[in-house]
Amino acid sequence: VMCIECKWTEAGIGACSCDRAGGDPAKGRCRAAVLNERPLYWATAKDVFFLPDRVDGKPCPLSPVYQAVRNVAAANALRPPDGLGVFGLIYDADNPYFKACGEWPGWPDVLVEALDSHEKVRFRSTSWQQLIELMPLDDDVRAWAHEKHGLG
C-alpha cells in the first residue's frame, strides 16, 4: 500500500485544518473529528513520530505534521498483515520547506530520519523535477511544463 502526498507551493508538509473548523491548534483545541474519531493519528503521532500527548492550553503536537502523520497512519492501517506500507512524498525541489535551507534539512530528510527505523512503513520521496524526467511526455507537454512550472 502506498499513500502519496503531493506538494507544490505549500508552506510545509501540511498542518491540520482545525482552526478552520472551530478549533485552535495553538491552544491544543482540536476539532471534534480529529480529537475523538482519529485514534490511529494520535497513536502514530506518539508511537512513530514520538510526539508528546496533546495538552489543553498548549500547542497541539499533531497540527504541524498532520499530513505526514495521516499518511503514515493510513499506510500502516491499510498494509497487508505481513506486508509493508509506504508513505511517498512528491515535492518541488525549489520549495524552501522541502530543500535544505540553513540548518533546516528539508521535509524529505526530516521524514527519512523519523521513519528510518519503522518496521512496517517505509518513506520514499522524489521531486517533481526528478519525476517529470522519467515520464513519457510528448514535446508539447514538456514545453508547457517547463514554461508553466519550470519543470523538465
Side-chain angles (χ1 to χ4, degrees), residues 7-8 89-94 98 108 125-134 151:
K7 299 294 182 187
W8 184 250
L89 173 66
I90 303 172
Y91 63 94
D92 175 17
D94 295 326
F98 295 92
S125 65
T126 191
S127 69
W128 289 107
Q129 289 85 345
Q130 293 169 318
L131 188 60
I132 199 159
E133 293 299 323
L134 302 173
L151 297 172

Side-chain angles (χ1 to χ4, degrees), residues 65-139:
V65 294
Y66 182 80
Q67 289 183 352
V69 169
R70 179 184 65 191
N71 277 283
V72 172
N76 195 31
L78 298 171
R79 68 177 172 74
D82 293 330
L84 291 172
V86 177
F87 166 30
L89 173 66
I90 303 172
Y91 63 94
D92 175 17
D94 295 326
N95 183 324
Y97 290 92
F98 295 92
K99 68 179 182 176
C101 190
E103 292 186 26
W104 170 246
W107 272 111
D109 286 352
V110 168
L111 292 166
V112 163
E113 179 73 24
L115 297 168
D116 187 44
S117 62
H118 196 279
E119 296 175 7
K120 303 292 183 179
V121 176
R122 300 290 185 262
F123 173 73
R124 298 294 183 263
S125 65
T126 191
S127 69
W128 289 107
Q129 289 85 345
Q130 293 169 318
L131 188 60
I132 199 159
E133 293 299 323
L134 302 173
M135 296 176 75
L137 303 174
D138 65 37
D139 290 341

Side-chain angles (χ1 to χ4, degrees), residues 41-56:
Y41 291 12
W42 295 103
T44 300
K46 184 175 186 169
D47 300 339
V48 176
F49 289 91
F50 304 106
L51 297 176
D53 291 334
R54 187 193 63 79
V55 175
D56 285 335

